[in-house]
Amino acid sequence: KAGVTQTPRYLIKTRGQQVTLSCSPISGHRSVSWYQQTPGQGLQFLFEYFSETQRNKGNFPGRFSGRQFSNSRSEMNVSTLELGDSALYLCASSFFTAGSSYNEQFFGPGTRLTVL
Amino acid sequence: AQTVTQSQPEMSVQEAETVTLSCTYDTSENNYYLFWYKQPPSRQMILVIRQEAYKQQNATENRFSVNFQKAAKSFSLKISDSQLGDTAMYFCAFEEFRTSGSRLTFGEGTQLTVNP
């Protein structure tokens, strides 16, 4: 079974631009989560989507948004990019089981975003 | 809010020896999960081991085992018979018990180097 895929793997943007990152979960997985990894702040949770609905949200400004499509693929958008948005953005998918408290998350290889 | 602390930014060990990585956390929750993730240079985040807070028995996965001290809020990872492939950044992570979604809180990470 193919793993979580993220595109593009590397991206360079300039301040003020916007960017869209894509995540394709493992087949059958309906939950997709996004994390930001920076040297200064470490790994921080952005948001989680399930069945096209945002289910959980981290403490990030409104410039960070996402969505999920009916095939469970997810996109993350950052508008008005700032230098501090330079980071590795990781996506993780899980197979949600109703009533289960634990669903292992499988991570993708990440998208490295550089803001100049 | 939950916090996870890893006080060892870097550690090194000789091949075939044993090393222990430390992690402490703070939460008011009684039911939760703790994890150790490994992130090699490829940046692919890989789950190493998981511990359910309601289980008193420490989790073990081959050469990896944990020492879970719930009262002390301590969760250390022991790697036995260290191998060169164990060289990676290791993250301790916390997730509260929930049936409506996933949200991991990560520690700062410990860079482990296994020397030949």
Side-chain angles (χ1 to χ4, degrees):
Chain A
K1 188 182 273 191
V4 178
T5 57
Q6 293 187 244
T7 56
R9 292 293 310 278
Y10 301 91
L11 204 50
I12 299 175
K13 292 285 188 179
T14 56
R15 280 182 299 174
Q17 287 187 312
Q18 76 165 19
V19 67
T20 299
L21 312 182
S22 180
C23 172
S24 293
I26 292 171
S27 178
H29 286 194
R30 295 168 61 193
S31 168
V32 175
S33 300
W34 289 89
Y35 292 85
Q36 181 196 63
Q37 185 175 17
T38 61
Q41 300 298 317
L43 277 153
Q44 293 185 291
F45 172 79
L46 280 155
F47 30 64
E48 183 214 6
Y49 284 86
F50 177 78
S51 290
E52 303 177 61
T53 301
Q54 187 180 87
R55 195 160 60 169
N56 288 293
K57 188 178 188 303
N59 189 27
F60 277 80
R63 300 186 297 108
F64 292 82
S65 63
R67 60 177 176 169
Q68 186 180 34
F69 301 93
S70 58
N71 62 357
S72 294
R73 187 177 71 85
S74 177
E75 287 183 348
M76 191 194 93
N77 185 76
V78 187
S79 63
T80 318
L81 284 166
E82 300 177 0
L83 295 179
D85 297 333
S86 293
L88 179 69
Y89 289 89
L90 293 167
C91 160
S93 75
S94 65
F95 179 81
F96 178 73
T97 304
S100 171
S101 62
Y102 172 71
N103 301 281
E104 181 176 346
Q105 296 199 55
F106 295 83
F107 284 82
T111 293
R112 170 74 67 184
L113 171 66
T114 301
V115 182
L116 302 176
Chain B
Q2 294 83 8
T3 59
V4 179
T5 302
Q6 294 177 248
S7 58
Q8 305 153 313
E10 297 179 356
M11 291 193 73
S12 63
V13 64
Q14 292 300 122
E15 197 175 5
E17 293 187 347
T18 296
V19 63
T20 298
L21 280 55
S22 301
C23 172
T24 58
Y25 59 95
D26 188 27
T27 182
S28 58
E29 301 290 329
N30 190 47
N31 294 320
Y32 49 87
Y33 298 93
L34 293 163
F35 308 88
W36 280 98
Y37 280 89
K38 167 185 176 180
Q39 188 179 43
S42 67
R43 297 295 187 181
Q44 183 83 46
M45 194 77 77
I46 302 164
L47 178 64
V48 174
I49 199 164
R50 178 184 94 243
Q51 174 78 43
E52 291 89 345
Y54 63 85
K55 289 186 177 179
Q56 292 186 334
Q57 186 173 5
N58 289 323
T60 299
E61 288 288 343
N62 300 314
R63 298 182 295 108
F64 300 88
S65 62
V66 299
N67 183 5
F68 173 49
Q69 302 290 327
K70 190 173 184 180
K73 295 180 181 174
S74 170
F75 183 60
S76 61
L77 174 69
K78 186 172 81 170
I79 306 175
S80 303
D81 186 25
S82 297
Q83 301 175 359
L84 297 178
D86 295 333
T87 292
M89 182 73 86
Y90 286 81
F91 292 96
C92 177
F94 171 100
E95 184 171 56
E96 66 179 70
F97 185 101
R98 61 171 73 206
T99 56
S100 59
S102 304
R103 179 174 182 156
L104 290 164
T105 300
F106 288 90
E108 306 91 334
T110 297
Q111 176 62 49
L112 174 67
T113 301
V114 180
N115 299 308

